[in-house]
Amino acid sequence: MTEATQFAPHLEKHLQLETLHELKAHIEEELDNEIYNVEISQRELTVCCKKSEILKVLKFLRDDKKCQFRMLLDVCGVDYPEREARFDVVYHMLSVQLNHRIRVKLKCAEGDAVLSSTDLFPSAGWYEREAYDMFGVKFENHPDLRRILTDYDFDGHPLRKDFPVEGNVEVYYDEEEKRVAYKPVDMPQEYRHFDQQSSWKGMTGNAYLGEEATVDRNTFSEEEFNEEESEEKASA
């Protein structure tokens, strides 16, 4: 059984695993001093690089004839609060010419700055602002590193795992006052309020859960159906 058939046999004919392994070997040879790991997992190629070498790695992957990853699709963060280098900064790139994708990762501690890739990829400007806003990762030499999804005075970074989901304020546009205003965060969904009994039965309100969920409320018995029909005829 090949590596591809272990995951999804129907995808085997579309994969180019030999090419992917050749690309992995090429990157390992050319970027030996800039990276510390390259692996193929779940049919995807991931390169882990040193934080200080990120621009050199991205430029190589963009310009090398065997790579040609000329599209930067995304820059995002991943939070691991238990680690000293708390964040992973992840770059997703696409080579249209070779029909391959690649993921580049680096580790970054809280308060550290990552070199901005906007000079190599103009699209990085928006993505890096999102990563800064949501995770608090700073990008050195970014031309306009401001919040992009939250308000300028917003306190905290919502995609950090220790960001509280209650007790903050939310921003909205007040139609009556014709301005941006603040109010306490209101999360009316029932699943936001647990009584700590269990993740499902502990829900409050009118949640229709547990054993009761096996009852189909849309199914009538014959007697109930006849009663409904009789009432409708009587009222007609």
Side-chain angles (χ1 to χ4, degrees):
M1 182 179 292
T2 65
E3 183 177 346
T5 55
Q6 296 176 22
F7 299 109
H10 64 285
L11 294 177
E12 183 181 15
K13 61 181 179 181
H14 300 295
L15 296 177
Q16 303 173 18
L17 280 178
E18 289 188 6
T19 307
L20 208 58
H21 281 286
E22 292 174 1
L23 185 60
K24 173 177 177 290
H26 176 64
I27 292 173
E28 286 177 318
E29 181 180 357
E30 296 295 329
L31 295 174
D32 183 49
N33 295 325
E34 290 77 20
I35 62 178
Y36 60 89
N37 187 38
V38 184
E39 63 177 5
I40 297 176
S41 177
Q42 303 289 327
R43 309 184 301 277
E44 297 177 346
L45 180 59
T46 299
V47 176
C48 299
C49 78
K50 302 172 184 175
K51 183 166 71 72
S52 59
E53 303 293 341
I54 181 60
L55 296 186
K56 187 174 182 180
V57 171
L58 294 178
K59 188 175 187 302
F60 173 82
L61 295 175
R62 184 193 66 177
D63 298 339
D64 185 81
K65 290 184 179 179
K66 293 184 179 180
C67 296
Q68 302 187 61
F69 292 100
R70 294 172 182 165
M71 292 183 64
L72 180 65
L73 302 176
D74 188 27
V75 180
C76 59
V78 185
D79 188 14
Y80 299 94
E82 71 281 2
R83 280 188 351 199
E84 183 177 355
R86 175 172 179 168
F87 302 106
D88 274 357
V89 180
V90 185
Y91 303 76
H92 293 105
M93 305 171 73
L94 170 67
S95 171
V96 176
Q97 291 77 12
L98 302 179
N99 190 26
H100 275 309
R101 293 171 185 263
I102 194 170
R103 178 185 299 113
V104 180
K105 297 168 58 176
L106 63 85
K107 293 181 180 179
C108 171
E110 185 171 3
D112 286 354
V114 180
L115 293 172
S116 173
S117 57
T118 49
D119 287 342
L120 298 174
F121 298 96
S123 63
W126 290 86
Y127 303 143
E128 290 178 352
R129 283 182 63 179
E130 287 182 349
Y132 166 70
D133 195 359
M134 296 291 104
F135 291 93
V137 177
K138 297 178 181 178
F139 292 88
E140 187 177 347
N141 300 326
H142 189 287
D144 187 18
L145 192 62
R146 291 177 293 148
R147 288 186 178 273
I148 190 172
L149 298 175
T150 61
D151 192 49
Y152 302 120
D153 296 328
F154 190 87
D155 186 18
H157 303 283
L159 289 186
R160 289 189 178 190
K161 289 182 179 177
D162 55 1
F163 183 78
V165 296
E166 292 181 294
N168 289 311
V169 297
E170 62 180 315
V171 181
Y172 71 102
Y173 183 77
D174 192 308
E175 283 289 350
E176 295 182 356
E177 299 188 21
K178 301 298 181 185
R179 66 176 179 83
V180 175
Y182 296 83
K183 65 179 180 180
V185 173
D186 179 24
M187 297 182 177
Q189 301 99 322
E190 291 173 326
Y191 65 82
R192 294 289 186 183
H193 305 287
F194 297 97
D195 61 6
Q196 307 302 321
Q197 294 179 14
S198 74
S199 56
W200 291 102
K201 294 182 180 179
M203 294 183 185
T204 59
N206 296 323
Y208 186 53
L209 302 168
E211 292 79 6
E212 293 184 1
T214 59
V215 179
D216 185 356
R217 295 291 186 180
N218 295 320
T219 301
F220 291 85
S221 65
E222 185 176 355
E223 291 77 11
E224 290 173 333
F225 180 81
N226 291 333
E227 289 178 3
E228 290 276 340
E229 192 174 40
S230 298
E231 291 176 0
E232 289 180 2
K233 287 181 179 178
S235 61

